Amino acid sequence: MTRMWLSLIAATAFMAQAAQAASLTVGYLRIDAPMPPTLSNLDPVPEDDGLAGARTGLDDNLTTGKFLGHDYALIEDRVPEGGDAVAAARAMLAETPYLILDAPDDTLLAIADLDAAQGALLFNAASGALALRDDECRATLFHTAPSDAMRTDALAQVFVKKRWTDLVMIAGTHPQDIAYAEAMRRSLKKFGLKLEAEKTWAFDADMRRNAAQEVPLFTQDFGDYDALILADELHDFGRYVLYNTWEPRPVAGSEGLSPVGWSPVIEQWGASQLHSRFGKAHARAMTAKDYAAWAAMRTLGEAVTRTGADDPATLRAYILSDDFELAGFKGRPLTYRAWNGQLRQPVAVVHPRALVAQAPLEGFLHRTNELDTLGLDRPESACGAFE
């Protein structure tokens, strides 16, 4: 009986502590960057891409917070091309130490290096650049967007599982394409595969009219192969390659069979509920960038719920601890890698109409966490800022 009363008293004390008025204001900062023109605007980028995800995460936090006396708010800013991104970040940091960032890589680093950002919690919800998780990491910068390497590792696991070992690749010339192609080469090597051939897509012709003539000739030199990989992260030319290759073979990568952080075709593990809430609020489908921003907002909400605190030091320590878990509608609890701040998460491999697989695939083992078969594992990462 005494033990029961002690347990009850302890639980009551915990709830009283949690019910203290923890209050968190989160900033969402988007930095517009110039984008080269693409052949098609069939899939326009939503004006609120990413921001809508943060707003949905805010609503989810408020739903939980009202039972515990916790309050959340979101402030928003958008810097146009050529604007002073660092000044905007400094102003936002004066209001809150919690920022969700959609920004180019160099801008992310410039913001993370601000004096005002030391001790803050910044979330990269857009860039998949490997360097940000490696030798250019920052102790204040967490990553809810999957890295390029996580996505290409997922695709490489599918290749191994399907025994597609004779692989070729076409890569675009934009920086994002080059980075994706490099990540793909790294992933293939990691899983014992290699490219038999690769070509660079440097055409400026209008493929909307010429694809049926140009693509077969361009791919004829590849001969026979198991699958064609496309590195076209701007979604410029890749859509015209499908079904126009010299050999009728699967297309994967940036088009066709694609590894993604989120997709409308993910419906298991309660994901349909998230899609429904998001669609009702924003009248469109949730994108991968929306999901990354949602995960950042929910990370903070989960940390506040579990600790009852609203200071960056306490929340950071909890987020990086073994106790932290985020229910992310991906079939497994999501956690953060303590060595570089990357959110561990399964990566869906999809085509536009259905989920094909979710990595890590069965049989790809790891000594501590199978999710660490995707992206930079601790021995591979040169990040020392989190030590």
Side-chain angles (χ1 to χ4, degrees):
M1 182 64 70
T2 302
R3 288 183 178 180
M4 184 183 72
W5 278 108
L6 289 174
S7 297
L8 181 61
I9 292 170
T12 304
F14 173 79
M15 292 300 295
Q17 179 185 12
Q20 292 176 3
S23 179
L24 211 70
T25 296
V26 182
Y28 185 92
L29 180 61
R30 172 174 170 177
I31 313 299
D32 289 340
M35 295 292 290
T38 57
L39 291 174
S40 174
N41 60 357
L42 186 62
D43 303 310
V45 178
E47 279 296 308
D48 59 352
D49 192 17
L51 176 59
R55 289 171 175 169
T56 300
L58 174 68
D59 291 341
D60 291 351
N61 285 352
L62 288 169
T63 298
T64 303
K66 68 181 180 181
F67 295 106
L68 299 173
H70 299 164
D71 189 33
Y72 300 90
L74 178 66
I75 56 176
E76 307 165 6
D77 194 11
R78 181 171 179 175
V79 180
E81 291 181 27
D84 193 337
V86 173
R90 188 180 289 110
M92 191 169 278
L93 285 165
E95 298 185 60
T96 175
Y98 307 105
L99 265 58
I100 302 172
L101 300 170
D102 176 0
D105 300 346
D106 56 348
T107 306
L108 283 172
L109 293 177
I111 293 172
D113 288 338
L114 287 172
D115 289 342
Q118 307 315 303
L121 285 181
L122 313 177
F123 291 86
N124 162 33
S127 175
L130 193 64
L132 296 175
R133 288 90 167 161
D134 198 21
D135 55 343
E136 289 292 336
C137 71
R138 299 293 188 271
T140 56
L141 188 59
F142 290 70
H143 310 277
T144 51
S147 68
D148 293 340
M150 290 171 67
R151 293 192 295 130
T152 55
D153 281 355
L155 189 57
Q157 289 188 8
V158 171
F159 291 154
V160 171
K161 200 74 171 180
K162 292 183 176 294
R163 299 182 181 179
W164 292 350
T165 57
D166 192 347
L167 303 168
V168 298
M169 182 167 69
I170 300 174
T173 58
H174 299 297
Q176 298 96 319
D177 304 338
I178 294 170
Y180 187 89
E182 181 56 37
M184 194 73 249
R185 295 185 196 98
R186 174 192 170 279
S187 294
L188 295 178
K189 182 178 180 181
K190 175 178 177 178
F191 291 99
L193 302 170
K194 66 177 181 177
L195 290 172
E196 299 300 328
E198 61 179 298
K199 301 182 77 171
T200 300
W201 185 274
F203 291 93
D204 56 5
D206 190 343
M207 286 297 107
R208 291 171 293 185
R209 298 180 180 180
N210 302 325
Q213 291 78 37
E214 299 292 343
V215 174
L217 293 175
F218 188 75
T219 58
Q220 185 177 5
D221 294 345
F222 285 144
D224 194 13
Y225 52 87
D226 293 327
L228 168 62
I229 303 167
L230 290 176
D232 175 26
E233 289 295 88
L234 294 185
H235 304 287
D236 182 17
F237 65 88
R239 68 186 67 200
Y240 305 106
V241 174
L242 276 76
Y243 305 106
N244 278 315
T245 55
W246 182 264
E247 294 287 347
R249 297 292 182 269
V251 174
S254 301
E255 300 287 350
L257 188 64
S258 301
V260 295
W262 189 251
S263 169
V265 302
I266 302 173
E267 298 177 316
Q268 301 178 44
W269 314 292
S272 58
Q273 299 173 17
L274 179 58
H275 287 304
S276 178
R277 293 201 310 275
F278 184 91
K280 187 177 296 185
H282 305 289
R284 63 172 178 83
M286 190 180 210
T287 68
K289 189 179 289 187
D290 288 320
Y291 181 86
W294 173 88
M297 182 66 78
R298 285 294 298 122
T299 292
L300 291 169
E302 182 67 15
V304 171
T305 297
R306 298 299 177 182
T307 64
D310 57 10
D311 64 284
T314 301
L315 298 186
R316 183 184 191 277
Y318 180 74
I319 289 168
L320 289 173
S321 73
D322 293 337
D323 294 328
F324 178 85
E325 288 185 352
L326 178 65
F329 303 99
K330 289 190 172 187
R332 304 188 188 200
L334 311 187
T335 60
Y336 283 84
R337 291 174 179 155
W339 58 89
N340 63 4
Q342 172 67 57
L343 180 66
R344 293 185 181 94
Q345 55 189 294
V347 174
V349 182
V350 307
H351 64 71
R353 301 289 292 175
L355 174 70
V356 175
Q358 178 154 279
L361 275 62
E362 184 177 354
F364 291 90
L365 305 178
H366 190 275
R367 60 188 178 86
T368 56
N369 191 324
E370 291 176 4
L371 290 173
D372 287 338
T373 63
L374 305 176
L376 284 176
D377 198 2
R378 185 187 291 270
E380 300 172 297
S381 177
C383 178
F386 281 77
E387 297 298 330

